[in-house]
Amino acid sequence: MESMTLTDEQRQAVFLFLIEAQDAGASVAKSRNDAARQFSITEEQVKNIEREGIDAQWPPLADA
């Protein structure tokens, strides 16, 4: 799944996965690796989604 073909909803799901994994105690590196495997995308794509989510304050950040 290439990030350019991911919908907003899919990218937000990746972002939520990252936040929840890190809140549960996973390191940033492990959460990125796990997200990449879970969603069949590259870690570079995960990093791009992470930056996008932080910049746009996607949930759960918007909920805080």
Side-chain angles (χ1 to χ4, degrees), residues 12-60:
Q12 288 179 0
V14 172
F15 185 72
L16 180 60
F17 182 96
L18 284 170
I19 299 301
E20 289 178 344
Q22 291 171 24
D23 284 351
S27 69
V28 172
K30 178 161 177 29
S31 67
R32 287 176 179 162
N33 181 272
D34 290 349
R37 284 185 299 150
Q38 175 75 23
F39 293 93
S40 301
I41 58 178
T42 67
E43 284 192 46
E44 188 61 34
Q45 290 170 306
V46 171
K47 289 177 187 177
N48 290 339
I49 291 167
E50 183 177 28
R51 280 190 291 274
E52 182 181 10
I54 291 169
D55 290 347
Q57 291 290 293
W58 284 345

